[in-house]
Amino acid sequence: MNIATPEFDLRPIHRHQKPLVGTPTIEHLLLRHVSLVCPESRLCVSVIKQAFVDLCSSSWGIRRDARRFFHDGRLTFWCDLVDLNPEFVREIALKTGYLPEPETLKKEAS
């Protein structure tokens, strides 16, 4: 019996690296830098923390939306509410491995 051999896609698989720190640590760090810790500031920091969580989602669409959150005006809006510097938050996301480097995004798109 001759059975055709299946062809496999040999393109490299891009696996996402595990972030260096957990999101509770990120939340704690951001709360240390807000001007006043109150329920409202905790809510704003939780919105930003959720974007970090979404960057690790298994869904490509959720990850894409989370990346957009960090680059359009939404991060700036939430950071301004609690006197956080949005560039500081982006730097945390990059250095901890949540937000991919810009050249990695170009490779994923092609």
Side-chain angles (χ1 to χ4, degrees), residues 31 34 36-48 78 81-82:
L31 284 172
V34 299
L36 173 68
V37 178
C38 62
E40 291 82 4
S41 65
R42 287 182 183 276
L43 175 65
C44 294
V45 168
S46 293
V47 170
I48 297 169
W78 288 102
L81 292 174
V82 290

Side-chain angles (χ1 to χ4, degrees), residues 2 6 11-13 19 27 38 41 43-44 56 61 64-65 71 74 76 78 85 87-88 101:
N2 291 336
R11 289 180 288 176
I13 298 172
E27 182 178 27
C38 62
S41 65
L43 175 65
C44 294
C56 297
R64 182 192 63 211
D65 290 341
H71 296 294
R74 293 179 286 167
T76 304
W78 288 102
N85 184 345
E87 289 303 317
F88 171 70
E101 295 289 334

Side-chain angles (χ1 to χ4, degrees), residues 13-88:
I13 298 172
H14 295 288
R15 302 223 187 266
H16 296 282
Q17 297 284 334
K18 184 177 178 184
L20 298 174
V21 297
T23 52
T25 305
I26 300 285
E27 182 178 27
H28 182 70
L29 173 69
L30 294 176
L31 284 172
R32 287 180 59 203
H33 287 87
V34 299
S35 57
L36 173 68
V37 178
C38 62
E40 291 82 4
S41 65
R42 287 182 183 276
L43 175 65
C44 294
V45 168
S46 293
V47 170
I48 297 169
K49 177 186 138 185
Q50 185 61 44
F52 278 85
V53 171
D54 290 349
L55 285 169
C56 297
S57 174
S58 60
S59 168
W60 181 82
I62 292 174
R63 285 194 317 268
R64 182 192 63 211
D65 290 341
R67 279 188 230 120
R68 285 182 183 165
F69 175 87
F70 279 90
H71 296 294
D72 61 15
R74 293 179 286 167
L75 176 65
T76 304
F77 170 76
W78 288 102
C79 286
D80 286 345
L81 292 174
V82 290
D83 294 330
L84 280 174
N85 184 345
E87 289 303 317
F88 171 70

